[in-house]
Amino acid sequence: MAKYLLLKHYRGAPAAVNDVPMAQWTPEEISAHVRYMNDFAARLEKTGEFVDSQALAPEGTFVRYDGEGRPPVTDGPFAETKDLIAGWMVIDVDSYERAVELAGELSAAPGAGGKPIHEWLELRPFLTASHTITE
């Protein structure tokens, strides 16, 4: 089994087919979208392919170490970052092909007008001992 991260982007990816921003959806459309995501996760839990998923809050801050005995340095918020990643899902599947299949299905979550979004999802494998890191 191999773990993959599915990243949902607010922006930064190619435009979705149904490209109406969630801020313009009705409460019913948002509920239908969340229900689809929850049903998708529940189905993957039954097959043992679901690991975890979360939606992200819009606020965020960059933090870095600033030396021994000094408080961490913060900077932000960065609008371009908080608007970029909307949420994520981790799956554990038998193959890259299965990960692509599930990402394609997830991209069809309903959006405005109840129509599938067909959003682009970023699919990233977890780094394992078999990966080679090059500079």
Side-chain angles (χ1 to χ4, degrees):
M1 301 281 281
K3 288 187 177 130
Y4 288 86
L5 175 66
L6 302 173
L7 284 173
K8 293 178 63 70
H9 293 270
Y10 282 125
R11 64 179 197 168
V17 173
N18 184 358
D19 199 23
V20 177
M22 188 179 263
Q24 297 175 18
W25 297 2
T26 66
E28 294 79 17
E29 291 166 340
I30 293 171
S31 292
H33 181 82
V34 171
R35 187 170 43 257
Y36 181 97
M37 301 293 291
N38 290 339
D39 290 348
F40 183 84
R43 187 169 51 85
L44 294 185
E45 280 185 293
K46 290 179 184 173
T47 64
E49 296 172 307
F50 178 81
V51 176
D52 195 12
S53 68
Q54 295 292 321
L56 298 175
E59 60 276 343
T61 302
F62 278 101
V63 179
R64 74 171 171 85
Y65 177 75
D66 197 37
E68 188 65 37
R70 298 174 65 166
V73 176
T74 61
D75 198 7
F78 291 96
E80 64 275 9
T81 301
K82 73 177 182 183
D83 289 343
L84 182 64
I85 300 173
W88 52 268
M89 180 178 285
V90 176
I91 56 175
D92 194 3
V93 294
D94 288 327
S95 66
Y96 171 78
E97 292 75 20
R98 177 66 174 154
V100 168
E101 175 186 347
L102 292 174
E105 185 178 338
L106 188 59
S107 86
K115 297 178 183 170
I117 298 172
H118 296 289
E119 66 184 325
W120 290 93
L121 298 176
E122 185 177 353
L123 178 63
R124 307 254 329 250
F126 277 37
L127 188 63
T128 64
S130 65
H131 284 93
T132 303
I133 299 176
T134 59
E135 292 184 31

